[in-house]
């Protein structure tokens, strides 16, 4: 299996409370496995508050919906041994 690397990392975002915010990270290969999103070292799951998806096979996106003050912190995207933070 090829080593998947991060081609384009996360960017810091400023958002108003109650708004949605989307983070994007592009990887080098499609169908990357061992992918994880975290907020403050807590793994995020796809649910009504967090929308996790993959666009065009290589662009992994995380949308946090209706953010609150508790959502302030570091977002981490990890694929294998590679990470990007914002």
């Amino acid at each position: 299996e090829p080593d998947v690397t991060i081609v384009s990392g996360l960017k810091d975002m400023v958002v108003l409370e109650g708004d949605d915010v989307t983070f994007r990270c592009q990887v080098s290969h499609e169908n990357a496995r061992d992918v994880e999103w975290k907020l403050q070292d807590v793994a995020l799951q796809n649910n009504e508050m967090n929308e996790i998806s993959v666009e065009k096979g290589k662009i992994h996106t995380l949308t946090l919906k209706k953010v609150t003050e508790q959502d302030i912190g570091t977002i981490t995207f990890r694929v294998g041994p590679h990470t990007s933070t914002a």
Side-chain angles (χ1 to χ4, degrees):
E1 191 166 304
D3 185 29
V4 178
T5 60
I6 295 172
V7 175
S8 174
L10 300 177
K11 294 181 177 41
D12 290 342
M13 304 291 274
V14 176
V15 63
L16 297 175
E17 192 167 18
D19 285 352
D20 296 352
V21 60
T22 299
F23 295 90
R24 287 184 177 79
C25 202
Q26 183 175 348
V27 297
S28 58
H29 295 79
E30 291 187 12
N31 304 319
R33 287 175 232 206
D34 195 21
V35 170
E36 183 177 49
W37 287 98
K38 287 184 176 181
L39 171 60
Q40 298 290 60
D41 283 333
V42 176
L44 299 175
Q45 305 298 321
N46 201 20
N47 59 34
E48 66 277 355
M49 297 307 293
N50 312 314
E51 188 178 304
I52 297 171
S53 62
V54 180
E55 298 170 3
K56 298 178 185 157
K58 296 182 183 179
I59 301 169
H60 292 257
T61 64
L62 165 67
T63 300
L64 302 179
K65 299 189 177 179
K66 296 183 175 67
V67 295
T68 67
E69 233 177 85
Q70 286 76 39
D71 295 318
I72 292 173
T74 302
I75 293 285
T76 304
F77 173 82
R78 180 185 63 76
V79 57
H82 308 286
T83 60
S84 178
T85 58

